[in-house]
Coordinates of all heavy atoms in Angstrom, one line a residue:
R104 N 13.4 -20.4 -0.9 CA 12.4 -20.6 -2.0 C 12.2 -19.2 -2.7 O 11.6 -18.4 -2.1 CB 11.2 -21.1 -1.5 CG 11.3 -22.5 -1.0 CD 10.0 -23.2 -0.7 NE 10.2 -24.5 -0.1 CZ 9.3 -25.4 0.0 NH1 8.1 -25.2 -0.5 NH2 9.6 -26.6 0.5
N108 N 14.9 -19.8 -8.3 CA 15.0 -21.3 -8.4 C 13.6 -21.9 -8.6 O 13.4 -23.1 -8.4 CB 15.7 -21.9 -7.3 CG 15.1 -21.6 -5.9 OD1 13.9 -21.2 -5.8 ND2 15.8 -21.8 -4.8
F109 N 12.7 -21.1 -9.2 CA 11.4 -21.6 -9.6 C 11.3 -21.7 -11.1 O 11.6 -20.7 -11.8 CB 10.3 -20.7 -9.1 CG 8.9 -21.3 -9.3 CD1 8.3 -22.1 -8.4 CD2 8.2 -20.9 -10.4 CE1 7.1 -22.6 -8.7 CE2 6.9 -21.4 -10.7 CZ 6.4 -22.3 -9.8
V110 N 11.1 -22.9 -11.6 CA 11.1 -23.1 -13.0 C 9.7 -22.8 -13.6 O 8.7 -23.3 -13.1 CB 11.5 -24.6 -13.4 CG1 11.4 -24.8 -14.9 CG2 12.9 -24.9 -12.8
V111 N 9.7 -22.0 -14.6 CA 8.4 -21.6 -15.2 C 8.1 -22.4 -16.4 O 9.0 -22.5 -17.3 CB 8.4 -20.0 -15.6 CG1 7.1 -19.6 -16.1 CG2 8.8 -19.3 -14.3
G112 N 7.0 -22.9 -16.5 CA 6.5 -23.6 -17.7 C 5.1 -23.3 -18.0 O 4.5 -22.5 -17.2
C114 N 2.5 -24.9 -17.3 CA 1.7 -25.3 -16.2 C 1.6 -24.3 -15.1 O 0.6 -24.3 -14.3 CB 2.3 -26.6 -15.6 SG 4.0 -26.3 -15.1
N115 N 2.5 -23.4 -15.0 CA 2.5 -22.4 -13.9 C 2.8 -21.0 -14.3 O 3.0 -20.1 -13.5 CB 3.5 -22.9 -12.8 CG 4.9 -23.0 -13.4 OD1 5.3 -22.4 -14.3 ND2 5.7 -23.8 -12.7
G140 N -4.2 -25.4 -6.8 CA -3.8 -26.5 -7.6 C -3.4 -27.7 -6.7 O -3.4 -27.6 -5.5
G141 N -3.2 -28.8 -7.3 CA -2.9 -30.1 -6.6 C -1.6 -30.0 -5.8 O -0.9 -29.0 -5.9
T142 N -1.5 -31.0 -5.0 CA -0.3 -30.9 -4.1 C 1.0 -31.2 -4.7 O 1.0 -32.0 -5.7 CB -0.5 -31.8 -2.8 OG1 0.6 -32.7 -2.7 CG2 -1.7 -32.7 -2.9
G143 N 2.0 -30.6 -4.3 CA 3.4 -30.8 -4.8 C 3.6 -30.1 -6.1 O 4.6 -30.4 -6.8
L144 N 2.8 -29.0 -6.4 CA 3.0 -28.4 -7.7 C 3.6 -27.0 -7.6 O 3.6 -26.2 -8.5 CB 1.6 -28.3 -8.4 CG 1.0 -29.6 -8.8 CD1 -0.3 -29.4 -9.5 CD2 1.9 -30.4 -9.6
G145 N 4.1 -26.6 -6.4 CA 4.8 -25.4 -6.3 C 4.1 -24.2 -5.7 O 4.7 -23.1 -5.7
K146 N 2.9 -24.4 -5.1 CA 2.2 -23.2 -4.6 C 3.0 -22.6 -3.4 O 3.2 -21.4 -3.3 CB 0.8 -23.7 -4.1 CG -0.1 -24.3 -5.1 CD -1.4 -24.6 -4.6 CE -1.4 -25.7 -3.6 NZ -0.9 -27.0 -4.0
T147 N 3.4 -23.5 -2.5 CA 4.1 -23.0 -1.3 C 5.4 -22.3 -1.7 O 5.8 -21.2 -1.2 CB 4.4 -24.1 -0.3 OG1 3.1 -24.6 0.1 CG2 5.1 -23.7 0.9
H148 N 6.1 -22.9 -2.7 CA 7.3 -22.3 -3.2 C 7.1 -20.9 -3.7 O 7.7 -20.0 -3.4 CB 7.9 -23.2 -4.3 CG 9.2 -22.8 -4.8 ND1 10.3 -23.7 -4.9 CD2 9.7 -21.6 -5.1 CE1 11.3 -23.1 -5.4 NE2 11.0 -21.8 -5.5
L149 N 6.0 -20.8 -4.5 CA 5.7 -19.5 -5.1 C 5.4 -18.4 -4.1 O 5.9 -17.3 -4.2 CB 4.5 -19.6 -6.1 CG 4.7 -19.8 -7.5 CD1 3.4 -19.9 -8.3 CD2 5.6 -18.7 -8.1
D205 N -1.3 -20.1 3.7 CA -1.1 -21.3 2.9 C -2.1 -22.4 3.2 O -2.4 -22.6 4.4 CB 0.3 -21.8 3.2 CG 0.9 -22.6 2.0 OD1 0.2 -22.8 1.0 OD2 2.0 -23.0 2.0
D206 N -2.7 -23.0 2.2 CA -3.6 -24.2 2.4 C -4.9 -23.8 3.1 O -5.2 -24.4 4.1 CB -2.9 -25.3 3.1 CG -1.8 -26.0 2.2 OD1 -2.1 -26.0 1.0 OD2 -0.8 -26.4 2.7
T237 N -3.2 -19.7 -0.7 CA -3.2 -20.9 -1.6 C -4.3 -21.8 -1.0 O -4.6 -21.8 0.1 CB -1.9 -21.6 -1.5 OG1 -1.7 -22.3 -0.3 CG2 -0.6 -20.7 -1.6
V264 N -2.1 -23.7 -10.7 CA -0.9 -24.4 -11.1 C -1.3 -25.8 -11.5 O -2.1 -26.4 -10.9 CB 0.2 -24.5 -10.0 CG1 0.8 -23.1 -9.8 CG2 -0.4 -25.0 -8.7
P267 N 3.3 -30.3 -14.3 CA 4.2 -29.9 -15.4 C 4.2 -30.9 -16.6 O 4.0 -32.1 -16.4 CB 5.6 -30.0 -14.8 CG 5.4 -30.1 -13.3 CD 4.0 -30.6 -13.1
T271 N 8.9 -29.2 -18.9 CA 9.0 -28.4 -17.7 C 9.6 -29.3 -16.6 O 10.5 -28.9 -15.8 CB 7.7 -27.8 -17.2 OG1 7.1 -27.2 -18.3 CG2 7.9 -26.8 -16.1
I275 N 12.9 -28.7 -14.4 CA 12.9 -28.7 -13.0 C 13.9 -29.7 -12.5 O 14.7 -29.4 -11.6 CB 11.5 -29.0 -12.4 CG1 10.5 -27.9 -12.8 CG2 11.6 -29.2 -10.9 CD1 9.1 -28.2 -12.4
T278 N 17.4 -28.4 -12.5 CA 17.8 -27.5 -11.4 C 18.0 -28.3 -10.1 O 18.9 -28.0 -9.3 CB 16.8 -26.4 -11.2 OG1 15.6 -27.0 -10.7 CG2 16.5 -25.6 -12.4
K279 N 17.1 -29.3 -9.9 CA 17.3 -30.1 -8.6 C 18.6 -30.9 -8.7 O 19.2 -31.0 -7.7 CB 16.1 -31.0 -8.5 CG 14.7 -30.3 -8.5 CD 14.4 -29.6 -7.2 CE 13.2 -28.7 -7.4 NZ 13.0 -27.8 -6.4
S302 N 3.6 -34.7 -9.7 CA 4.0 -33.5 -8.8 C 5.5 -33.5 -8.7 O 6.2 -34.4 -8.9 CB 3.4 -33.7 -7.4 OG 4.3 -34.4 -6.6
V303 N 5.9 -32.2 -8.4 CA 7.4 -32.0 -8.3 C 7.9 -32.6 -7.1 O 9.0 -33.0 -7.0 CB 7.6 -30.5 -8.4 CG1 9.1 -30.2 -8.3 CG2 7.0 -29.9 -9.6
R304 N 7.0 -32.6 -6.1 CA 7.5 -33.3 -4.8 C 7.8 -34.7 -5.1 O 8.8 -35.3 -4.5 CB 6.4 -33.1 -3.8 CG 6.8 -33.5 -2.4 CD 5.9 -33.2 -1.3 NE 5.7 -31.7 -1.2 CZ 4.5 -31.1 -1.0 NH1 3.4 -31.8 -1.0 NH2 4.5 -29.8 -0.9
E305 N 7.0 -35.4 -5.8 CA 7.2 -36.8 -6.2 C 8.6 -36.9 -6.9 O 9.4 -37.8 -6.6 CB 6.1 -37.2 -7.1 CG 6.0 -38.7 -7.3 CD 4.9 -39.0 -8.3 OE1 3.9 -38.3 -8.3 OE2 5.0 -40.1 -8.9
E307 N 11.1 -35.0 -6.5 CA 12.2 -34.8 -5.5 C 12.4 -36.1 -4.7 O 13.5 -36.5 -4.5 CB 11.8 -33.7 -4.6 CG 12.0 -32.3 -5.3 CD 11.5 -31.2 -4.3 OE1 10.9 -31.4 -3.3 OE2 11.8 -30.0 -4.7
Ligands
ADP1 P1 2.6 -27.3 -3.0 O1 2.6 -26.2 -2.0 O2 1.8 -26.9 -4.3 O3 2.1 -28.6 -2.5 P2 5.4 -27.0 -3.0 O4 5.6 -25.6 -3.3 O5 5.7 -27.4 -1.6 O6 4.1 -27.6 -3.5 O7 6.4 -27.8 -4.0 C1 6.9 -29.1 -3.7 C2 8.4 -29.1 -4.0 O8 8.6 -29.0 -5.4 C3 9.2 -28.0 -3.3 O9 10.4 -28.5 -2.9 C4 9.3 -27.0 -4.5 O10 10.5 -26.3 -4.3 C5 9.4 -27.9 -5.7 N1 8.9 -27.2 -6.9 C6 7.5 -27.2 -7.2 N2 7.4 -26.5 -8.4 C7 8.6 -26.1 -8.8 C8 9.1 -25.3 -9.9 N3 8.3 -24.9 -10.8 N4 10.4 -25.1 -9.9 C9 11.2 -25.6 -9.0 N5 10.8 -26.2 -7.9 C10 9.5 -26.5 -7.8

Side-chain angles (χ1 to χ4, degrees):
R104 298 193 183 193
N108 57 20
F109 186 84
V110 176
V111 184
C114 54
N115 57 25
T142 126
L144 298 181
K146 300 183 297 296
T147 298
H148 188 133
L149 265 183
D205 206 356
D206 289 325
T237 76
V264 287
T271 312
I275 295 174
T278 64
K279 304 283 169 195
S302 94
V303 181
R304 190 170 295 136
E305 194 183 331
E307 289 176 345

